[in-house]
C-alpha cells in the first residue's frame, strides 16, 4: 500500500518497524554492516525516527568496522539535552570506542575518564581506557585499570589480556605468562592470549616455545598478521649472523686502545643454541707504555637450557707482541683465555651470573 499511497503513515510505520526488526536481527547474528544499512533505510522511510534510533545506528556503524563514520554520529547523540544518565553513558562509551578504534587514543582517554568520574567501577570504561593507555605505551596506569576490573571480575578474559600486555611491555614477561595461565588453561584457547604468550616467551629467551605458540595462533586464526610477523622475526634471528665491531678509546694517562673484532654465529635448536668463530685484534699505544698488539682467534657460544638456566662462553687463543721503545726488544707470548658465564634467571627482576 506504501507504493500506491506514499503518504500512508500507517504503511510507512509498518515498513519502518519491519526494517528495525530486521536490522536488530542482523546485529544479533553479527552482521553489523547489514544492520547499519537497514537502519539507513529506516531513516529514509521515516526521517522522524532518526533521533530515536541514532545511537543504535551509530553502534552498528562502529561494530561494522567504521569507527571514523561513527564518531560524528555519537557526537550528535551527545548533543541532546534530554539524555538520561544511562543514555549519556552509552553515547560516551560509543564515542570513546570510536575514537580509540580509529587510532585517536589520546582523544578517547578523557571520554573514558568522564564515564569513570560518574561511575568509578564501570568495567567497560576501565577496559576501554586500559586498552587505549596500552596503545600509547602508558602501561603502568593501564595495568591499574585492568587490575580494577579483575578485582570485580577475576575471570574477565579481556582484562587478563590487557594486564598481561601491560606487564609484558613493562619488561615483565614472566608476570604476563602467569597472568595468562587461567586463560590458556581453558580448552578453547584464545588466539589473542596465545599471541601475548608467544611474545612473552620470545622476550624471556625461549624462541622455541614462542614459535610453537605463534603456530597455535595461526591454527586457530589463519592469516593473523601479528603471529606471522613474529614467526618471520624468529626465523630472521636464526639466520647466520656476521658482525664487525670496532672501537677506539684514549685513557686519561694517554694510553690509546683500539679494537677490531669479527664474529660469525650459527643458530641451532630453534634458537636455543648459537656458536661460531671469532677473531680480534687489540692494539695498545702510549708514550709511557710499551706498544702491544694482541691477535686472537677463537670460538663463542651460548645455550639456553630451560626457563631459568643459560650458559655463555668465549674462548680465545692469543698471540701477544710487545715492543719496548728503549731497547727495541720485541717479546712474543701465546696465551689462552676464556670467559664463561652461567646464568640463573628465576624471575623478571633477578638474574644471577657466575663468571668462571
Amino acid at each position: 500500500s506504501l507504493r500506491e499511497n506514499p503518504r500512508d503513515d500507517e504503511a510507512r510505520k509498518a515498513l519502518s518497524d519491519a526494517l528495525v526488526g530486521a536490522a536488530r536481527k542482523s546485529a544479533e547474528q553479527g552482521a553489523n554492516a547489514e544492520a547499519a544499512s537497514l537502519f539507513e533505510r529506516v531513516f529514509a522511510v521515516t526521517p522522524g525516527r532518526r533521533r530515536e534510533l541514532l545511537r543504535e545506528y551509530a553502534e552498528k556503524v562502529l561494530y561494522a568496522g567504521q569507527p571514523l563514520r561513527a564518531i560524528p554520529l555519537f557526537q550528535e547523540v551527545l548533543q541532546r539535552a534530554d539524555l538520561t544518565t544511562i543514555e549519556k553513558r552509552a553515547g560516551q562509551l560509543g564515542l570513546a570506542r570510536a575514537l580509540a578504534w580509529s587510532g585517536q587514543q589520546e582523544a578517547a582517554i578523557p571520554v573514558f575518564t568522564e564515564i569513570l568520574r560518574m561511575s568509578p567501577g564501570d568495567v567497560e570504561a576501565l577496559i576501554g581506557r586500559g586498552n587505549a593507555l596500552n596503545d600509547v605505551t602508558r602501561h603502568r596506569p593501564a595495568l591499574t585499570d585492568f587490575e580494577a576490573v579483575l578485582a570485580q571480575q577475576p575471570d574477565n578474559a579481556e582484562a587478563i589480556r590487557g594486564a598481561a600486555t601491560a606487564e609484558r611491555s613493562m619488561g615483565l614477561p614472566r608476570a604476563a605468562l602467569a597472568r595468562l595461565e587461567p586463560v590458556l588453561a581453558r580448552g578453547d584457547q584464545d588466539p589473542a592470549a596465545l599471541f601475548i604468550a608467544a611474545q612473552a616467551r620470545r622476550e624471556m629467551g625461549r624462541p622455541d616455545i614462542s614459535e610453537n605458540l605463534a603456530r597455535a595462533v595461526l591454527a586457530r586464526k589463519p592469516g593473523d598478521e601479528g603471529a606471522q610477523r613474529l614467526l618471520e622475526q624468529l626465523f630472521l634471528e636464526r639466520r647466520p649472523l656476521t658482525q664487525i665491531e670496532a672501537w677506539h678509546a684514549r685513557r686519561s694517562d694517554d694510553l690509546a686502545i683500539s679494537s677490531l673484532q669479527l664474529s660469525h654465529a650459527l643458530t641451532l635448536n630453534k634458537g636455543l643454541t648459537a656458536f661460531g668463530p671469532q677473531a680480534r685484534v687489540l692494539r695498545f699505544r702510549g708514550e709511557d707504555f710499551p706498544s702491544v698488539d694482541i691477535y686472537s682467534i677463537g670460538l663463542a657460544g651460548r645455550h639456553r637450557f630451560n626457563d631459568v638456566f643459560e650458559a655463555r662462553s668465549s674462548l680465545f687463543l692469543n698471540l701477544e707482541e710487545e715492543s719496548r721503545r728503549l731497547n727495541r726488544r720485541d717479546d712474543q707470548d701465546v696465551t689462552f683465555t676464556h670467559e664463561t658465564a652461567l646464568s640463573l634467571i628465576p624471575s623478571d627482576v633477578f638474574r644471577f651470573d657466575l663468571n668462571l
Side-chain angles (χ1 to χ4, degrees):
S1 61
L2 181 60
R3 290 183 179 177
E4 297 173 358
N5 184 5
R7 296 183 178 180
D8 189 333
D9 293 338
E10 186 175 339
R12 285 181 179 277
K13 184 178 184 307
L15 177 58
S16 177
D17 289 342
L19 289 170
V20 170
R24 289 170 177 167
K25 185 174 181 179
S26 294
E28 289 173 1
Q29 297 172 349
N32 287 295
E34 181 181 341
S37 179
L38 288 167
F39 273 117
E40 288 166 3
R41 290 182 60 190
V42 172
F43 300 153
V45 173
T46 51
R49 299 195 69 179
R50 178 180 175 85
R51 181 182 178 90
E52 168 197 350
L53 299 170
L54 181 59
R55 180 176 58 80
E56 197 171 350
Y57 166 59
E59 289 172 348
K60 303 307 174 282
V61 171
L62 173 63
Y63 299 133
Q66 301 180 66
L68 282 173
R69 278 190 60 206
I71 290 172
L73 298 175
F74 283 114
Q75 289 173 333
E76 183 181 342
V77 169
L78 291 170
Q79 287 174 357
R80 288 173 49 188
D82 60 342
L83 292 175
T84 66
T85 300
I86 294 175
E87 290 172 336
K88 183 178 180 180
R89 181 261 181 196
Q92 288 175 323
L93 184 63
L95 175 60
R97 284 175 171 171
L99 289 166
W101 297 355
S102 62
Q104 303 177 65
Q105 288 85 356
E106 291 290 1
I109 290 169
V111 184
F112 284 122
T113 301
E114 178 62 22
I115 298 171
L116 292 167
R117 187 181 66 82
M118 301 300 296
S119 179
D122 191 302
V123 167
E124 291 180 303
L126 283 167
I127 289 175
R129 187 173 69 175
N131 285 330
L133 289 167
N134 263 342
D135 288 342
V136 296
T137 69
R138 291 161 61 184
H139 302 298
R140 194 168 296 281
L143 183 58
T144 299
D145 279 351
F146 292 123
E147 288 183 334
V149 174
L150 293 171
Q152 303 176 61
Q153 300 176 4
D155 296 327
N156 188 300
E158 193 170 359
I160 290 172
R161 290 195 302 267
T165 297
E167 288 167 327
R168 184 193 65 78
S169 301
M170 291 163 62
L172 303 171
R174 294 170 189 267
L177 287 170
R179 178 88 64 177
L180 290 169
E181 187 174 344
V183 176
L184 296 177
R186 299 172 187 169
D188 56 338
Q189 291 185 334
D190 177 11
L194 285 170
F195 179 62
I196 299 168
Q199 293 175 300
R201 282 292 184 179
R202 174 177 172 268
E203 290 162 6
M204 64 180 285
R206 293 303 305 271
D208 55 328
I209 300 177
S210 179
E211 178 185 343
N212 294 338
L213 289 167
R215 292 190 184 280
V217 173
L218 291 172
R220 291 161 176 78
K221 189 179 178 183
D224 183 87
E225 292 184 5
Q228 288 178 333
R229 283 196 301 269
L230 178 57
L231 283 177
E232 290 170 2
Q233 182 65 31
L234 290 170
F235 294 147
L236 182 64
E237 292 169 354
R238 296 175 193 174
R239 295 176 60 184
L241 177 64
T242 299
Q243 290 182 296
I244 300 175
E245 178 183 347
W247 56 266
H248 177 81
R250 181 176 292 276
R251 301 190 331 190
S252 58
D253 55 7
D254 286 332
L255 175 63
I257 307 171
S258 300
S259 172
L260 176 65
Q261 181 165 331
L262 173 67
S263 64
H264 183 74
L266 300 173
T267 302
L268 307 172
N269 197 19
K270 286 192 171 183
L272 294 178
T273 305
F275 73 95
Q278 57 183 350
R280 183 179 65 192
V281 178
L282 277 171
R283 303 189 70 184
F284 299 84
R285 297 290 187 271
E287 290 294 331
D288 299 326
F289 300 91
S291 297
V292 177
D293 295 322
I294 304 175
Y295 305 94
S296 308
I297 58 172
L299 294 171
R302 64 164 178 82
H303 179 69
R304 185 65 177 253
F305 294 94
N306 50 37
D307 285 355
V308 296
F309 289 109
E310 183 178 75
R312 294 176 178 268
S313 187
S314 176
L315 312 175
F316 276 117
L317 181 64
N318 311 293
L319 173 62
E320 181 177 330
E321 294 183 346
E322 180 177 327
S323 175
R324 299 182 182 275
R325 293 179 180 275
L326 295 178
N327 54 22
R328 296 290 181 180
R329 183 168 58 85
D330 291 339
D331 293 332
Q332 287 191 339
D333 194 13
V334 176
T335 61
F336 174 77
T337 57
H338 72 90
E339 297 177 1
T340 300
L342 301 178
S343 300
L344 173 66
I345 315 167
S347 72
D348 292 321
V349 178
F350 297 104
R351 178 189 180 108
F352 303 97
D353 293 322
L354 175 62
N355 295 309
L356 304 176

